[in-house]
Amino acid sequence: MVNLDWMLVSVGLMALALLAASLIRTVPSYAVAEFGTKIGGLRALTETERLVLFEDLSTSPDPDWASGQRDDTQVGLGAIWLASPADAPMTRRIALPPQTQRSIVTMELIAIDAWALERLELSVDGTPVLRQSFSAQPALIAAQRTEILAHDGIVLQSRLDSPQELGFATGPGLEETRLSVEMAITTNAPELRLSIVPLPAPDASADARPPMWAIDNLMVIAADR
């Protein structure tokens, strides 16, 4: 018959629990090139990084875009910053902390309803870095184009989702298309200047009505190295 020393057993179990907790805490995260560190798909801040802003518009106050308005009328989209009027550029300045050497900017651009390859152009500090054409019309979806413009000090990646019906209207070609943008910007300037300008389709008529669009989930992270 084996006699257990329950004190030793308890100590052993505690040691195993501490080891397991240590392993969980030290599960390696994975670096995503210039775009920082992610753990399980979520953005993780390192000790050299600081969250400058995050706007999902659900609880935050109205952001400092030069134009536009908050819209939370569509359940599928949630609260978004809607371009108003639709043909007006949206611009803003974002102050960065002292000692910033690199910024990571993520956002979503949402094309709403009837787009026929009209474009949005994203600029950083006055220089265009991305042009994207949109359409949810079945005959034009394959003609959408992403143009990433080379710029020293900026690395950009984007993902264009398939059109989805998110609430503004129903019917073929009247769905919403979401473009996720992520930029790594090497800069020691005291601020970032962002600008999003709507552009007509290459063959659009002069009296064509500009389609609706919006910004959502803007996040800026500053790193001091």
Side-chain angles (χ1 to χ4, degrees):
M1 181 176 180
V2 177
N3 293 321
L4 296 177
D5 186 330
W6 291 108
M7 180 62 73
L8 289 175
V9 170
S10 298
V11 171
L13 291 174
M14 290 177 61
L16 287 173
L18 289 172
L19 177 60
S22 174
L23 289 173
I24 291 171
R25 284 197 303 270
T26 58
V27 168
S29 58
Y30 60 93
V32 185
E34 295 87 350
F35 303 104
T37 302
K38 294 186 178 180
I39 301 176
L42 300 176
R43 184 68 170 83
L45 297 180
T46 69
E47 61 184 10
T48 66
E49 295 175 335
R50 174 178 170 183
L51 180 64
V52 175
L53 66 84
F54 175 63
E55 294 172 348
D56 67 355
L57 297 170
S58 297
T59 56
S60 58
D62 286 352
D64 293 327
W65 292 102
S67 61
Q69 63 186 33
R70 188 176 183 273
D71 186 286
D72 59 0
T73 60
Q74 310 303 322
V75 175
L77 280 171
I80 56 175
W81 193 250
L82 185 68
S84 179
D87 58 350
M90 284 207 276
T91 62
R92 72 181 297 178
R93 296 173 181 267
I94 300 168
L96 299 175
Q99 312 304 320
T100 297
Q101 299 296 316
R102 181 172 57 92
S103 298
I104 299 168
V105 178
T106 61
M107 69 176 72
E108 294 174 353
L109 302 178
I110 305 170
I112 300 169
D113 294 347
W115 283 65
L117 301 181
E118 293 90 348
R119 298 162 292 166
L120 292 178
E121 179 182 86
L122 171 63
S123 295
V124 176
D125 295 333
T127 301
V129 295
L130 171 72
R131 293 189 190 101
Q132 175 68 54
S133 59
F134 296 92
S135 183
Q137 299 179 37
L140 295 177
I141 288 177
Q144 295 176 105
R145 293 290 179 266
T146 303
E147 184 182 2
I148 296 177
L149 308 173
H151 186 273
D152 290 342
I154 298 179
V155 179
L156 185 149
Q157 62 183 11
S158 65
R159 184 188 73 249
L160 184 65
D161 293 340
S162 299
Q164 299 180 58
E165 177 48 60
L166 298 176
F168 267 83
T170 58
L174 297 181
E175 299 173 314
E176 284 71 57
T177 306
R178 191 184 303 261
L179 178 74
S180 299
V181 180
E182 191 168 25
M183 296 183 289
I185 305 167
T186 301
T187 178
N188 56 10
E191 67 176 15
L192 284 176
R193 291 183 292 117
L194 300 180
S195 176
I196 301 145
V197 179
L199 302 174
D203 58 352
S205 62
D207 58 350
R209 180 181 177 183
M212 292 190 295
W213 59 282
I215 300 170
D216 199 12
N217 295 326
L218 173 64
M219 181 169 65
V220 178
I221 294 169
D224 58 23
R225 62 183 179 187

